[in-house]
Amino acid sequence: MPTTGEVYTYTVMYRAFHPWFKDQLPYGVAVVEVEGGIRIIGRYVGDDPEGLACGQRMEAVFDDLGEDGGSIAWRPA
């Protein structure tokens, strides 16, 4: 599976939908299009979620959520 791509769309969250995210605010969620046109959604783990932009190059990383598991996340490439 490709591990880099470009931001297709994104949002910045200012209100936590779950208590676990309260200390993470604000945080970004990005839909990244990788090779082959596949779009993958994941939490943005870069420094400035308000600096996200469509077309920005991203790299997939593992978002370790401790005992709750983990998922794909995105950081600037």
Side-chain angles (χ1 to χ4, degrees), residues 1-10 29-42 52-60 72-75 77:
M1 182 175 134
T3 59
T4 60
E6 293 184 354
V7 175
Y8 176 78
T9 191
Y10 66 93
V29 175
V31 177
V32 175
E33 187 170 309
V34 298
E35 186 178 319
I38 299 167
R39 296 179 185 148
I40 304 170
I41 190 168
L52 276 166
C54 290
Q56 184 176 6
R57 295 288 302 162
M58 291 288 162
E59 172 184 33
I72 292 175
W74 299 103
R75 69 176 176 204

Side-chain angles (χ1 to χ4, degrees), residues 19-30:
W20 187 90
F21 291 94
K22 185 177 179 184
D23 294 335
Q24 308 295 318
L25 296 172
Y27 68 90
V29 175

